[in-house]
Amino acid sequence: EEVMAADFKSLWNQWKVEPEYTEQRYWEGVKSYLSFVQETPEELAQLTRERLEVFPDVVKVASDLKARGTSIGIISNHAISWYSDMAALGGFQTCFPDKMVVISQAAGCCKPNLSIYKYFWDLVHDAGLCKDAAEVLFIDDKPANIKAAESFGFQGLLFCRPNSSALQLQEELGKLGLLEPLGA
């Protein structure tokens, strides 16, 4: 069982950082480990897309940040196609300008590798949004990613769904002066 989990993780790790690694190839790899799966790679892809989950309340917090003039972006460990589907589903385009979105498959590296934070920093810095990496607040659900971002020089905030609510995120952002504190 642990070997199979490692095999799946290996498939995912390839897909999320290799631009030439296709979704078709990913699902064919999955099927090779799970011989009982009858669905075609296309059907597996569709089933996955039907189960993608976006948290609208968190997108609302991002929208509120943008409305206050805060520049925001995304660093996502994802395949380009899956991120695109989630972005469309969640209406990310209204909050996150394409030029501030780093998808690991396009970048060729993923969190917690410092290269992806450098990639994002170059976008932020080149756009003239920040002069110092310490001005960037990185929010993530994995402690290792927060630690890496902090070692790069970003500030870090751990936010884990479903254990934390968007209200808790808003409260933390309020403490940092980025949003109105709750109850204000």
Side-chain angles (χ1 to χ4, degrees), residues 38-157:
Q38 299 301 311
E39 289 82 5
T40 66
E42 294 79 13
E43 291 168 331
L44 291 169
Q46 182 59 37
L47 287 168
T48 299
R49 282 176 172 73
E50 290 169 5
R51 288 167 179 77
L52 290 176
E53 185 175 16
V54 174
F55 300 106
D57 54 342
V58 176
V59 176
K60 169 77 169 77
V61 171
S63 181
D64 291 348
L65 281 169
K66 185 174 181 189
R68 289 200 53 168
T70 303
S71 298
I72 57 177
I74 291 178
I75 302 173
S76 180
N77 280 358
H78 254 303
I80 296 165
S81 61
W82 281 9
Y83 174 83
S84 297
D85 291 338
M86 286 190 343
L89 179 67
F92 291 4
Q93 309 85 322
T94 61
C95 303
F96 307 102
D98 287 343
K99 67 181 180 181
M100 297 304 296
V101 174
V102 174
I103 303 163
S104 60
Q105 187 181 32
C109 53
C110 63
K111 302 176 284 186
N113 185 308
L114 291 180
S115 298
I116 201 156
Y117 304 102
K118 169 83 167 87
Y119 191 105
F120 185 77
W121 170 248
D122 288 345
L123 294 177
V124 169
H125 188 261
D126 292 351
L129 299 174
C130 296
K131 291 183 171 53
D132 187 331
E135 297 175 62
V136 175
L137 175 63
F138 176 76
I139 303 169
D140 201 89
D141 62 344
K142 294 189 175 37
N145 295 343
I146 296 291
K147 184 177 179 182
E150 289 174 341
S151 75
F152 185 79
F154 295 167
Q155 297 177 62
L157 177 63

